[in-house]
Amino acid sequence: MIQKNSELTIRKARLSDLDSLEAVYAYAREFMARTGNPTQWVNGYPSREDLLEDFRKDSLYVCENSEGHIVAAFCFMAGPDPTYRLIQDGQWLNEQPYHVIHRLASDGSHKGIAQICFDWALHEDKNIRVDTHRDNLIMQHLLRKCGFVPCGIIYTHDGTPRIAFQSHQEQP
């Protein structure tokens, strides 16, 4: 699905977008390190292979400006997500079917990207789960601002903890 607001369009990624996507994620890694979150995305994560896997799963989306330049990217896919099977120090708001947002990143050129992407995702499904690193205070703030509620701690595929959030929206 393609959705436009006044300046930006969200669409599924194309293979031809990979170089631009790598630049967005490189900027995001540098931004996180500069703003107190140096350990969430390390060693080049997400790699080109990670992006290709998201593309193969048909879950990679881009946000482009009116000139067609990619300014943000994220993974949006239907659950269940295996890393969300076990949650500690809390519980999910519900056990209904859900979608997941992973690897939301921006190139820093537009304000409000997270809100635009979360609004788009919530239009697709009111029940969304997402996680972030304890040091990613900016993302935690944005998630709360967009109506997400912290639910507990999950562990990623490599065993590192993340704060788990779920959308607190009325279900259809």
Side-chain angles (χ1 to χ4, degrees):
M1 174 182 189
I2 295 176
Q3 183 173 332
K4 293 185 176 190
N5 74 5
S6 59
E7 297 177 30
L8 302 170
T9 302
I10 294 177
R11 64 167 173 80
K12 289 211 174 177
R14 302 177 193 118
L15 276 176
S16 59
D17 296 330
L18 283 175
D19 290 341
S20 296
L21 289 167
E22 286 184 308
V24 167
Y25 284 106
Y27 175 85
R29 282 189 297 273
E30 185 275 326
F31 176 82
M32 287 194 300
R34 187 168 27 92
T35 58
N37 184 23
T39 62
Q40 183 171 354
W41 288 351
V42 295
N43 301 321
Y45 180 85
S47 68
R48 189 175 190 95
E49 292 75 28
D50 294 318
L51 300 177
L52 283 167
E53 183 62 23
D54 290 343
F55 181 80
R56 282 190 285 276
K57 291 179 179 176
D58 202 29
S59 62
L60 186 58
Y61 289 80
V62 298
C63 186
E64 61 184 16
N65 65 18
S66 57
E67 291 84 41
H69 298 291
I70 294 172
V71 299
F74 60 98
C75 176
F76 181 74
M77 63 185 161
D81 184 312
T83 60
Y84 293 170
R85 199 174 12 236
L86 175 66
I87 186 167
Q88 296 180 342
D89 300 327
Q91 65 185 28
W92 295 114
L93 299 177
N94 63 58
E95 292 301 326
Q96 301 299 314
Y98 61 91
H99 274 78
V100 177
I101 298 172
H102 285 303
R103 296 180 283 285
L104 174 60
S106 164
D107 71 356
S109 65
H110 283 67
K111 299 292 182 206
I113 289 286
Q115 180 79 56
I116 290 165
C117 294
F118 289 140
D119 286 350
W120 177 90
L122 288 164
H123 179 266
E124 297 295 309
D125 186 348
K126 298 292 183 204
N127 198 23
I128 295 178
R129 295 179 182 181
V130 63
D131 64 86
T132 194
H133 195 279
R134 71 175 183 268
D135 293 337
N136 196 339
L137 301 178
I138 292 171
M139 182 56 74
Q140 290 175 48
H141 169 77
L142 292 169
L143 285 164
R144 287 183 175 95
K145 179 180 171 186
C146 293
F148 288 79
V149 177
C151 294
I153 304 297
I154 61 97
Y155 292 86
T156 63
H157 65 282
D158 66 3
T160 58
R162 297 288 188 268
I163 302 170
F165 288 80
Q166 188 169 3
S167 58
H168 186 60
Q169 304 282 326
E170 290 297 317
Q171 300 302 310

